[in-house]
Amino acid sequence: MEVLSIGQLADAAGVHIETIRYYERRGILPEPPRTAGGYRQYGPDDRWRLEFVKRAKALGFTLTEVGELLHEEVRGDPVSVRAMVQRKLGAIEERQRELAGVQARLARLVEICADPDSDDCGALRVTS
């Protein structure tokens, strides 16, 4: 089995050493075995886990959610994983609807304020 130091693991996974330490404190990465000199020793599973975390974060999952996805009961159950992904997708769709509403209101405000001296453009005036 390939054994990696923390620096080698960080390089291989494209993260900082402090990220690895933080993930260990959060329980995202298990505490690795250590050499007699106290150096951490990582293996291929740790690299896979770090790369999984990066992919999941890129999809919008929080570290708490990533931890849930990595939990053995969930990880081994495609139905649970699918349910979590569906919840995340629903949250993103809701956020998109909210942002579309904000965008529409801002676009309307831009139209209203085409004439900056218009009385209708009071929402953008700053008074002291």
Side-chain angles (χ1 to χ4, degrees), residues 53-96:
V53 172
K54 279 181 63 174
R55 289 190 306 271
K57 285 183 65 181
L59 290 171
F61 287 95
T62 65
L63 276 183
T64 299
E65 292 167 331
V66 171
E68 291 171 15
L69 285 168
L70 288 169
H71 194 273
E72 286 184 33
E73 291 175 10
V74 173
R75 194 167 131 197
D77 179 18
V79 174
S80 296
V81 172
R82 184 172 190 267
M84 286 186 70
V85 172
Q86 284 179 314
R87 281 194 302 275
K88 178 55 79 175
L89 182 58
I92 289 170
E93 289 168 348
E94 176 61 28
R95 183 69 178 136
Q96 284 178 318

Side-chain angles (χ1 to χ4, degrees), residues 97-112:
R97 284 189 292 276
E98 290 170 4
L99 288 172
V102 170
Q103 182 181 24
R105 290 189 300 277
L106 287 171
R108 180 69 181 129
L109 192 55
V110 166
E111 287 175 21
I112 290 171

Side-chain angles (χ1 to χ4, degrees), residues 17-74:
I17 290 172
E18 287 305 316
T19 300
I20 294 172
R21 290 181 179 135
Y22 178 69
Y23 289 172
E24 286 175 9
R25 286 191 305 270
R26 291 280 310 261
I28 301 294
L29 274 178
E31 188 72 29
R34 294 181 181 252
T35 66
Y39 293 100
R40 292 171 168 94
Q41 295 182 307
Y42 298 94
D45 287 346
D46 299 307
R47 181 178 176 176
W48 175 88
R49 190 174 276 256
L50 274 177
E51 291 169 346
F52 177 86
V53 172
K54 279 181 63 174
R55 289 190 306 271
K57 285 183 65 181
L59 290 171
F61 287 95
T62 65
L63 276 183
T64 299
E65 292 167 331
V66 171
E68 291 171 15
L69 285 168
L70 288 169
H71 194 273
E72 286 184 33
E73 291 175 10
V74 173

